[in-house]
């Protein structure tokens, strides 16, 4: 058996895997310290479903990933063909930057960035088993793609990011095909390996819509949807070509990415006649016949699910979105389906502009295995097996952005574990990333988890615009920025941004509008960002700095209140619970509370308070019992 030694092995080349490898490389910094194992290196960074990044709450995640040194924002900016900030008419707290991307350019950008890192070694193959000794991971066995050759990769940490490939099964009508996405085989052995290690697995579903040939659509008959001009980038580095960046080993990859021509999307809709056809064929729909037993995403439902759940609706909006400048495929955003092909033909051709549309790939659903996330810590590390980390859809989430955020956290902590350092968590009051990780370890997902702004109780603080101010310095302290020119460019960008914000704030404090302090006028409902810029005609700053100062001053009283709430609750939020507590034997707690504590094993009182079945009275009693437990342990 061939063998190699790495510090961290990342399994999977999707959005979680590439961020995990990138983050671990930044922390470790040594050549060939990270192995990225994937069945087909040519599809690393592939956009399996909609080639779009960001959106409501998801855009905040991407901005945070970028602020912490990740690559998703850079790749999205390098491949954007239609960028728009969603909910821009509402307050800055819910602005959601989104980019329709060229899926081929996006994958090239990701691969180019990874290939520029000497720390990362890409290995083609599938993981057959995880090797464990004395209760710790020490290696994985990889079968080289297309061969019977086994290769052992020795390591201190493993990050599993299996996406939809773990025992993946695709459904279109009665047709069932093993695979994690169209044309790619499932990953079977890894599921058996996890079960043998004692992990509890679950089963979830996701889906994708049909793709159409653009030339077969009456494109000009439909309402155009253009992006913003100028577009608001995800990354603080996009557009920067300073000396620090030019000196970076990754700079050639960035300089190769031209700004792509912008494309228009079009809007159409389903109709009542098509809904009747769907209802008449529900007996052929896998999710209604029992062929698919797992649960799909409630907030991104299939068209057959929409027709059943919203029976009074006679139409549903559908966005026709180009997948690339290099192909004529159009993604039908809004009609994800696993209905038979003949029914999909009727649905598509009943939509305005699509009466002669050619379907180049039919929609399908994918069922796949996941690991129930009460078995991980908020660091991404599994409770059962030190050194094994999970990220992405394997934890029950849905979406590129949620996967990438988990990958960053898992990669960071896998690298720290390999160096003998303690794990790092991100708080709910620090980032949407923290909200995501906390939700995963305190709730049992019955459907794929998706991030929403409503999940973040501190969303006024956690805006897309201020992500660098919140996270970049911390990322630098954790080593995530690495020692490359890219890291230095991020530090420089933050320093310049901080200077601009400070200068704007001084001007705000001194300025008056119609005799009143600008700091007070800015809070008026009708006072827009445009009015703010007009009030300071001589000021010069980046668009991002203007938006952050405007939002911070506009929300100032509410922000002070949220910060006071965070300080008041900090002691309880971060107060640790004993890792060795035998909650099942603490009979004075209610049975429901004992069961929840025993299952989720919360790390802090804050996490315990967010568990289903835990009441304030339970927390009060738990505090007494924990103190008693500690005294008895100290006495022993």
């Amino acid at each position: 058996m061939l063998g190699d030694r790495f510090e961290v092995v990342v399994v999977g080349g999707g959005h979680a895997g590439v961020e995990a490898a990138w983050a671990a490389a930044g922390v470790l910094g040594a050549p060939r310290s990270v192995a990225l194992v994937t069945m087909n290196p040519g599809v690393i960074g592939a956009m399996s479903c909609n080639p779009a990044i960001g959106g409501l709450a998801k855009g905040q995640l991407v901005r945070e990933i970028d602020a912490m040194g990740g690559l998703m924002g850079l790749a999205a900016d390098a491949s954007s063909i239609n960028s728009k900030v969603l909910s821009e008419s509402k307050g800055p707290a819910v602005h959601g930057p989104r980019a329709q991307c060229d899926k081929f350019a996006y994958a090239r950008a990701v691969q180019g960035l990874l290939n520029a890192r000497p720390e990362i070694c890409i290995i083609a193959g599938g993981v057959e088993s995880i090797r464990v000794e004395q209760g710790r991971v020490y290696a994985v066995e990889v079968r080289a793609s297309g061969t019977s050759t086994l290769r052992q990769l020795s390591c201190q940490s493993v990050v599993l990011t299996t996406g939809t490939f773990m025992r993946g099964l695709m459904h279109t009508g009665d047709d069932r095909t093993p695979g994690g996405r169209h044309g790619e085989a499932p990953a079977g052995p890894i599921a058996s390996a996890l079960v043998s290690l004692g992990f509890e697995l679950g089963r979830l579903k996701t889906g994708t819509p049909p793709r159409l040939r653009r030339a077969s659509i009456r494109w000009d008959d439909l309402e155009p949807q253009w992006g913003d001009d100028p577009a608001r980038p995800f990354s603080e580095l996009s557009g920067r070509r300073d000396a620090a960046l030019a000196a970076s080993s990754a700079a050639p990859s960035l300089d190769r990415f031209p700004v792509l021509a912008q494309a228009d999307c079009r809007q159409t809709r389903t109709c009542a006649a098509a809904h009747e056809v769907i209802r008449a064929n529900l007996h052929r729909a896998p999710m209604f016949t029992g062929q698919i037993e797992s649960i799909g995403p409630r907030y991104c439902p299939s068209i057959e699910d929409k027709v059943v759940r919203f029976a009074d609706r006679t139409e549903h909006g559908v966005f026709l979105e180009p997948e690339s400048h290099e192909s004529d495929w159009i993604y039908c955003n809004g009609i994800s389906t696993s209905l038979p092909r003949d029914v999909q033909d009727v649905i598509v051709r009943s939509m305005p502009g699509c009466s002669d549309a050619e379907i180049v790939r039919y929609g399908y659903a994918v069922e796949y295995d996941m690991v129930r996330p009460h078995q991980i810590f908020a660091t991404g590390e599994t409770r059962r097996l030190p050194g094994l980390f999970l990220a992405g859809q394997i934890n029950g989430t849905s979406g590129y952005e949620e996967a990438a955020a988990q990958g960053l956290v898992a990669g960071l902590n896998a690298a720290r574990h390999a160096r003998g350092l303690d794990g790092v968590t991100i708080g709910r009051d620090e980032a949407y990333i923290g909200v995501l990780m906390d939700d995963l370890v305190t709730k049992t997902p019955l459907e794929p988890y998706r991030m929403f702004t409503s999940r973040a109780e501190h969303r006024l603080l956690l805006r897309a615009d201020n992500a660098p101010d919140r996270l970049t310095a911390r990322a630098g302290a954790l080593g995530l920025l690495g020692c490359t020119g890219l890291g230095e460019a991020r530090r420089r960008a933050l320093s310049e941004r901080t200077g601009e914000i400070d200068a704007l704030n001084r001007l705000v404090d001194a300025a008056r509008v119609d005799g009143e302090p600008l700091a007070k006028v800015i809070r008026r409902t009708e006072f827009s960002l445009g009015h703010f810029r007009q009030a300071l005609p001589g000021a010069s700053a980046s668009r991002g700095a203007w938006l952050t100062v405007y939002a911070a001053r506009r929300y100032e009283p509410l922000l002070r209140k949220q910060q006071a709430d965070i300080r008041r609750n900090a002691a309880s939020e971060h107060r640790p619970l004993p890792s060795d507590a035998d909650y099942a034997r603490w009979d004075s707690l209610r049975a429901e509370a004992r069961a929840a504590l025993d299952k989720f094993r919360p790390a802090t009182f804050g996490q315990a308070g967010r568990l289903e079945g835990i009441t304030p009275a339970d927390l009060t009693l738990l505090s007494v019992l924990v103190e008693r437990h500690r005294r008895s342990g100290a006495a022993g």
Side-chain angles (χ1 to χ4, degrees):
M1 179 185 291
L2 300 175
D4 284 291
R5 176 168 292 279
F6 298 91
E7 291 187 77
V8 174
V9 173
V10 177
V11 181
H15 303 280
V18 299
E19 291 293 352
W22 186 265
V27 174
L28 297 173
R32 290 179 58 85
S33 55
V34 179
L36 175 58
V37 181
T38 180
M39 290 185 282
N40 182 359
V43 296
I44 286 175
M47 307 183 92
S48 310
C49 198
N50 189 3
I53 296 293
L56 300 177
K58 292 171 175 280
Q60 282 87 330
L61 283 174
V62 182
R63 286 281 293 158
E64 291 176 354
I65 290 165
D66 182 74
M68 297 194 76
L71 57 74
M72 178 171 268
L74 285 168
D77 290 342
S79 57
S80 172
I81 57 176
N82 187 296
S83 295
K84 191 172 186 62
V85 176
L86 306 185
S87 291
E88 194 165 26
S89 62
K90 300 179 181 178
V94 295
H95 288 181
R98 180 188 187 273
Q100 188 74 18
C101 297
D102 183 309
K103 65 180 182 181
F104 300 117
Y106 184 90
R108 282 196 299 270
V110 170
Q111 292 173 29
L113 288 164
L114 291 176
N115 289 331
R117 297 297 295 266
E119 303 94 336
I120 300 173
C121 177
I122 297 173
I123 297 173
V127 171
E128 297 277 311
S129 65
I130 301 167
R131 311 300 291 172
V132 179
E133 189 174 76
Q134 296 180 339
R136 304 181 76 84
V137 171
Y138 75 88
V140 297
E141 287 185 349
V142 177
R143 187 176 301 280
S145 295
T147 75
S148 59
T149 304
L150 278 180
R151 180 178 183 181
Q152 180 167 293
L153 308 181
S154 301
C155 58
Q156 284 78 48
S157 304
V158 174
V159 184
L160 283 184
T161 69
T162 54
T164 59
F165 284 82
M166 201 157 62
R167 291 201 305 141
L169 184 63
M170 299 180 289
H171 301 258
T172 300
D174 293 333
D175 295 341
R176 286 181 282 190
T177 306
R181 62 180 168 225
H182 183 84
E184 296 186 51
I190 193 63
S192 301
L194 289 170
V195 170
S196 69
L197 290 169
F199 286 95
E200 177 189 349
L201 304 188
R203 195 102 171 128
L204 290 176
K205 163 201 168 285
T206 189
T208 191
R211 273 73 160 179
L212 312 181
R213 193 174 301 285
R214 174 168 172 158
S216 67
I217 302 169
R218 297 196 308 277
W219 195 257
D220 292 337
D221 291 352
L222 301 174
E223 180 184 351
Q225 304 285 321
W226 288 97
D228 296 337
D229 185 18
R232 189 185 303 177
F234 284 110
S235 178
E236 291 295 298
L237 296 188
S238 293
R240 294 178 62 90
R241 291 292 182 268
D242 56 20
L245 188 55
S248 168
S249 61
S253 294
L254 288 176
D255 288 334
R256 276 205 307 270
F257 305 146
V259 176
L260 300 183
Q262 295 300 286
D264 63 315
C265 302
R266 298 283 159 145
Q267 187 170 15
T268 184
R269 62 191 182 278
T270 62
C271 67
H275 293 188
E276 287 304 316
V277 172
I278 292 170
R279 291 188 186 98
N281 284 275
L282 289 177
H283 65 286
R284 304 172 64 199
M287 65 177 292
F288 287 96
T289 63
Q291 180 176 312
I292 294 177
E293 297 180 359
S294 48
I295 299 173
R298 187 192 340 168
Y299 301 104
C300 188
S302 65
I303 185 59
E304 53 267 39
D305 195 20
K306 289 181 185 177
V307 167
V308 170
R309 286 169 52 189
F310 309 107
D312 57 324
R313 293 278 298 274
T314 58
E315 62 181 48
H316 290 282
V318 180
F319 289 94
L320 302 179
E321 300 172 330
E323 292 200 337
S324 172
H325 286 312
E326 300 169 38
S327 82
D328 62 351
W329 284 28
I330 299 296
Y331 182 93
C332 296
N333 191 348
I335 52 170
S336 171
T337 185
S338 58
L339 283 161
R341 291 171 178 80
D342 60 298
V343 181
Q344 294 190 39
D345 287 334
V346 172
I347 296 169
V348 166
R349 289 168 188 161
S350 68
M351 300 189 306
C354 299
S355 57
D356 299 314
E358 176 189 352
I359 298 179
V360 290
R361 178 177 294 164
Y362 286 90
Y364 60 92
V366 186
E367 278 190 292
Y368 56 94
D369 282 350
M370 46 84 74
V371 176
R372 300 201 182 278
H374 66 268
Q375 298 168 99
I376 65 169
F377 296 105
T379 59
E381 187 173 23
T382 60
R383 297 174 182 274
R384 181 177 292 275
L385 188 56
L388 177 62
F389 295 76
L390 309 179
Q393 285 173 290
I394 194 172
N395 286 332
T397 60
S398 173
Y400 304 151
E401 303 82 3
E402 290 88 345
Q406 292 171 73
L408 185 149
V409 172
L412 162 66
N413 284 302
R416 290 179 66 85
H417 181 273
R419 293 287 171 89
L421 301 173
D422 291 338
V424 171
T425 59
I426 300 172
R428 296 181 69 91
D429 59 333
E430 295 178 293
Y432 273 80
I433 297 174
V435 175
L436 166 63
M437 296 306 299
D438 186 75
D439 280 352
L440 289 181
V441 301
T442 58
K443 296 174 174 61
T444 300
L446 300 177
E447 62 192 16
Y449 176 100
R450 179 180 176 181
M451 179 54 69
F452 292 100
T453 54
S454 59
R455 297 191 191 274
E457 60 271 34
H458 305 301
R459 56 187 170 275
L460 292 181
L461 289 167
L462 310 182
R463 305 185 307 276
D465 67 87
N466 69 358
D469 313 319
R470 294 185 276 117
L471 297 170
T472 296
R474 187 177 184 198
L478 292 171
L480 280 170
L481 304 187
C483 56
T484 67
L486 281 175
E488 181 55 36
R490 288 192 186 280
R491 295 183 183 93
R492 184 174 300 184
L494 178 62
S495 176
E496 292 174 1
R497 172 182 162 84
T498 301
E500 290 177 342
I501 289 172
D502 289 345
L504 284 176
N505 274 315
R506 287 193 294 271
L507 291 173
V508 171
D509 290 335
R512 302 182 75 83
V513 174
D514 296 330
E516 289 192 74
L518 175 57
K520 181 179 178 181
V521 175
I522 199 172
R523 298 176 200 160
R524 294 176 181 170
T525 303
E526 69 278 7
F527 198 84
S528 67
L529 177 61
H531 293 135
F532 177 45
R533 299 186 74 152
Q534 291 172 11
L536 298 175
S540 176
S542 64
R543 182 167 51 164
W546 277 105
L547 180 57
T548 293
V549 173
Y550 171 73
R553 288 304 188 111
R554 190 169 179 79
Y555 289 141
E556 191 170 11
L558 296 173
L559 293 176
R560 283 200 300 267
K561 182 179 183 302
Q562 282 202 352
Q563 289 163 340
D565 290 343
I566 291 168
R567 288 192 297 270
R568 184 169 57 253
N569 297 327
S572 175
E573 177 64 34
H574 302 294
R575 182 183 172 192
L577 286 166
S579 59
D580 61 344
D582 187 357
Y583 296 117
R585 299 182 62 183
W586 290 11
D587 294 338
S588 51
L589 283 169
R590 294 181 309 111
E592 187 179 7
R594 292 200 306 273
L597 291 166
D598 190 52
K599 177 180 180 179
F600 288 96
R601 308 294 306 178
T604 67
F605 273 84
Q607 286 186 352
R610 289 186 287 275
L611 297 180
E612 296 173 5
I614 298 293
T615 69
D618 293 328
L619 290 176
T620 299
L621 179 55
L622 181 63
S623 180
V624 174
L625 295 172
V626 165
E627 187 59 32
R628 186 181 300 166
H629 173 79
R630 289 190 173 128
R631 284 200 303 269
S632 64

